[in-house]
Amino acid sequence: MAIDTKKCVGCSDCVVACQTENDVPIGHCRDWVVEVMDGTYPQLEIELRSERCNHCKNSPCVRCCPTGASHYSDGGIVLVTKNECIGCSACITSCPYDARYVHPDGYVDKCTFCLHRVKKGMQPACVAVCPTKCMYFGDLDDPGSEVSEVLKKRKYKTLIPEAGTKPQLYFLI
Amino acid sequence: MKSRRQFLKISSLSAAGLVFGGGLLETFADNLLKNNQSYFKGPYDFARTPTYCEVCFWKCAGWVHKDENGRIKKIIGNDDDPNCNGRFCPRGTGGVGMYFDRDRLKTPLIRTDVRGKQSFREATWDEAFDYIASKMNKIKEEHGPECTALFTHGSGGKYFGNLLKGFGSNNIAAPSYAQCRGPREVAFLATFGQGINSPENTDIRDTKCLVLIGSHLGENMHNGQVQEMSDAIDKGTTIITVDPRFSTVAGKSKHWLPIKPSTDIALLLSWMNVIINEELFDKKYVEKYTFGFDLLKAYVQPFTPEWAYGITTIKPQQIRDTAHEMANAAPAVIVHPGRHVTWYGDDTQRLRAVAILNALLGSWGRRGGFYNPEKASVPHFHLPDFPKPNKNWRDAMGGKYKLADLALASGVCQATIPSPEMSCSIKGWIVNGTNLINTLPDQKKTIAAIQALDLLVVVDTMPMEITGYADVVLPECTYLERYDSLRISQGRVPSIALRMPAVDPLYNTKPAFWMARELAKKLDLLQYFPFETIEEEIDWELKQVGSSLEEMQRIGVKLLDREADDLYFGEDEDVEFNTNTGKIELYSTALEEEGFDPFPVFTQHPEPDSGFYRLIYGRAPMHTFSRTANNPNLTDLMDENSVWVNPKVAKVWDLKNDQYVYLENQDGVISDFKIKVRITERIRWDSVYMVHGFGHADKRMTRAFGKGVSDTQMITNVMIDPIMGGTGMRGNFVTFRFDNKKAEV
């Protein structure tokens, strides 16, 4: 997934859409918005980012999960199998992006890239709802996909690359 | 950078409270499942039900989806709707929270104690209507039917409006005029003979230069405009933002002009000066379509960028550069008229300056400027003539504000306070879907008017502050539980949209149509409600335009053909403008006739005393006015406002981030509640900023009560626009207090 920080207005629509799509209980979230401001009045810069699980290629959460509940699924999407999760929270501690939370029902929950929608050929809920169309989702292995195209054209960054997790969330800057 | 945990801490309740809250909501739903089967079943067997959103005035059309138990799950935009293009904003997506909010009004209430104390008894609908009808008839007998008024902001307004007009009054006002967009309508009417209306006819999609003056698109989530702005950013459109605050869109702008507040007219005049003197204006357009250019040219001569620099603090070079940007993009340039524009009392003149600038650049009626919108003409069923009122609220205005093309909510309020000069003060109000306590500035005045009433009826879904003053509260079901009149929006293509119930109403709540019609029965006005149900009325209307209720239930939105191919002016087309001269009036003869300046004049406005800061307020993308402050989904994103303070100011006051303070304004009004300090470079040192709509004082709104400060409470100095009666609200100054004790007298 690629997210255009130049277009994001930080409205948090992605957060609400995810909550209603995935029955995320109020008070928790699978995605969230970060605002970074730099400079002194009036020389200022601002970056807005919609963040979520980075679906890392080298995921510490998958590695540290004692039951195998955290795993790689179709297309490299990192998932948690609810009924295999014992809620030990080792994954939460290991994740440098703080992308996971403990669901009130006792298991660890996080972004699934809306795999249930993607399988039907739909976009993840956050991508589909975004009023600024700042998110691009697709197959990074397919050089012709929209997300690959946009990454070819634009400058981008990943978050905390030094953690070595090979994150799959790209921020266009 | 904020981590996720910090974000949650900042934007939500404490983590523990949140978990608890989520749990409660589920228990609530479980109980409903057990106790109220009809909540889940209902007669509506639709996988998705069409609606248009009621969280704000943009009225995006969408689909309500239910889960396998028939419980509302989510709302998604309708792909065919030009207002939203299939994408709802956070408030629309979170609209489900209006339905699930446990604090909703649940049954009719009749007051048992003095106004302002939330002391009510539950009543039956019949009792409530009898009470209202007998009071209304008494007012009619003693004072005349004209002494009643309707304030409305919401879809049910049409039916209460017909009720009131049938009763014999035309005092029907929406705070969206005199407290919001009124000056812009009057200014554009005076200049182009045509208002802006809603959604705005700004052609952002195709513009090359977008100029925003205090308009914070992206924080105000006017959906279609935000979408088009985002597309424009993709295409490399130049954005110029004028704002004392580094707004979200300022962060996306090529030029940010951090103007000294209240000096916008000086900047606008200097832009005209540059564009005229450097001959950057659209000569052919100006010659063919406008009136008064030579007078304008002479008038703007003194207003050089150097003159404006001393007033606005914007450097002359930056004024010239941005003028050149506009001229280079012309006519595909939009000097945006904004929406909430009642700031300093000279707002019509400021918006006139905006209109004149657009005329010089030739953007009105041109691609990438302002298009000519079209609205579907859907015939209404012919009602018998309404009785002609002998008087109305304007009588209390002493002949002022003649150019106001709609009723002033503040004027109706004024006409309610008895005074010896007035033949009639208004005695009865029906307030539909607008929380006047937080909507009209100068709360003391609003409450004085309310205390002078014989009858106050409030129709709402939530126990907003205004309901605390009501004699009768009528609980409306939410938009997800009712039909409403068709949405007939203006746009590039005329469209209509249907709202129908996705589920049966929760509790003992009812739609406005039913309420108004039942009241009409009691008042013997049934002739103004010829259809027994709203479905029949909608179906009749739809059949007049070749559709039907059945079709709209399937498609939700229908685009109609434009009647003429006139989205933009044709090459060298002769255009007759609806002004006195038939031209675009750079020099306004209409304003001159009424004794006002025909050109905008810059006036100095008062500045804050030492230790005080100008109060600037605005919007957050996840809230609409004060009406969403208790919505469980949206308070989860933002449950209180904060006061933005420049670090220099914070240093003087020794303020820390996240510290809570009270505010006191120039008139000694101390805020009821505390507000969190946000120290940020994003605001000027002479101003503070907060998001409007917080600091609710009604305990029945459990999530919103006491959260943040109400900017409305701090707005006691109201600068009235002499042209159209708009209530300028940016002339208020606040200071910080560490307690809320009143000074000893």
Side-chain angles (χ1 to χ4, degrees), chain B residues 457-624:
Chain B
V457 180
V458 177
V459 184
D460 213 316
T461 65
M462 292 297 298
M464 293 288 173
E465 280 84 347
I466 184 72
T467 63
Y469 294 87
D471 300 313
V472 185
V473 179
L474 302 178
E476 193 176 19
C477 51
T478 67
Y479 69 108
L480 302 173
E481 303 158 291
R482 67 183 197 231
Y483 279 101
D484 263 313
S485 42
L486 294 169
R487 183 201 82 187
I488 303 170
S489 287
Q490 70 171 23
R492 295 182 179 96
V493 179
S495 67
I496 49 175
L498 175 72
R499 172 186 293 160
M500 68 177 291
V503 286
D504 279 343
L506 282 181
Y507 316 114
N508 187 17
T509 61
K510 296 283 186 186
F513 175 88
W514 181 84
M515 289 185 225
R517 194 169 190 277
E518 290 299 306
L519 260 172
K521 280 185 196 165
K522 302 271 184 194
L523 291 164
D524 214 9
L525 297 171
L526 215 48
Q527 66 270 33
Y528 299 108
F529 292 83
F531 294 99
E532 206 165 313
T533 64
I534 190 169
E535 292 97 307
E536 292 168 67
E537 176 174 339
I538 297 172
D539 193 43
W540 183 90
E541 287 177 353
L542 286 168
K543 285 188 171 136
Q544 311 308 305
V545 290
S547 180
S548 66
L549 184 58
E550 186 276 324
E551 182 191 41
M552 289 301 287
Q553 286 174 336
R554 274 187 289 112
I555 61 177
V557 169
K558 187 162 185 159
L559 304 182
L560 304 175
D561 293 330
R562 275 186 79 97
E563 279 173 9
D565 179 23
D566 59 353
L567 195 58
Y568 309 111
F569 297 166
E571 189 72 29
D572 284 328
E573 185 184 337
D574 290 322
V575 182
E576 173 88 15
F577 296 88
N578 188 24
T579 57
N580 290 337
T581 56
K583 301 265 186 189
I584 297 171
E585 293 203 349
L586 305 175
Y587 183 99
S588 173
T589 58
L591 288 179
E592 191 181 36
E593 271 169 20
E594 292 298 323
F596 299 109
D597 296 313
F599 288 128
V601 174
F602 169 72
T603 36
Q604 287 279 2
H605 293 297
E607 292 188 25
D609 286 340
S610 168
F612 281 78
Y613 307 91
R614 188 182 298 274
L615 174 62
I616 303 176
Y617 51 83
R619 307 265 180 245
M622 59 288 278
H623 284 288
T624 302

Side-chain angles (χ1 to χ4, degrees), chain B residues 236-249:
Chain B
T237 295
T238 298
I239 303 177
I240 299 168
T241 298
V242 180
D243 201 315
R245 184 177 66 97
F246 189 67
S247 59
T248 298
V249 67

Side-chain angles (χ1 to χ4, degrees), chain A residues 95-118:
Chain A
C95 175
Y97 308 105
D98 203 8
R100 296 167 163 241
Y101 71 96
V102 182
H103 191 281
D105 290 347
Y107 58 90
V108 168
D109 190 40
K110 62 176 275 298
C111 165
T112 63
F113 271 161
C114 285
L115 189 58
H116 64 288
R117 288 170 63 95
V118 174

Side-chain angles (χ1 to χ4, degrees), chain A residues 4-9 11-13 15-17 19-21 23 26-29 32-37 39-42 44-46 48-49 92 98 100-101 117 127-133 136, chain B residues 1-2 4-5 7-8 18-19 22 25 73-74 87-90 93-94 96 218 221 223 226-227 230-231 233-234 244 246 248 251-252 256 258 621-622 632-633 636-637 678 680-685:
Chain A
D4 191 345
T5 63
K6 298 285 182 204
K7 291 203 285 184
C8 175
V9 293
C11 72
S12 306
D13 203 1
V15 181
V16 204
Q19 284 174 324
T20 58
E21 175 67 33
D23 296 319
I26 285 179
H28 298 282
C29 56
W32 60 95
V33 174
V34 171
E35 172 194 316
V36 189
M37 209 273 304
T40 310
Y41 197 98
L44 297 170
E45 271 179 42
I46 195 168
L48 290 159
R49 295 196 298 261
I92 294 180
D98 203 8
R100 296 167 163 241
Y101 71 96
R117 288 170 63 95
V127 179
V129 79
C130 178
T132 69
K133 288 175 257 173
Y136 303 87
Chain B
M1 191 176 82
K2 287 171 194 160
R4 172 168 192 257
R5 284 202 183 89
F7 169 76
L8 278 173
L18 286 165
V19 177
L25 195 70
K73 180 174 168 63
K74 60 182 179 182
R87 292 165 184 266
F88 264 24
C89 84
T93 309
V96 291
M221 279 303 300
N223 197 343
V226 174
Q227 293 192 17
S230 187
D231 292 344
I233 290 171
D234 250 351
F246 189 67
T248 298
K252 301 185 184 304
W256 171 42
M622 59 288 278
N633 296 73
D636 196 33
L637 300 172
R678 175 182 178 182
T680 174
E681 293 282 357
R682 292 178 61 185
I683 185 76
R684 271 176 75 105
W685 53 89

Side-chain angles (χ1 to χ4, degrees), chain B residues 170-181:
Chain B
N170 62 2
N171 296 314
I172 300 173
S176 51
Y177 187 76
Q179 282 66 51
C180 196
R181 60 184 180 85

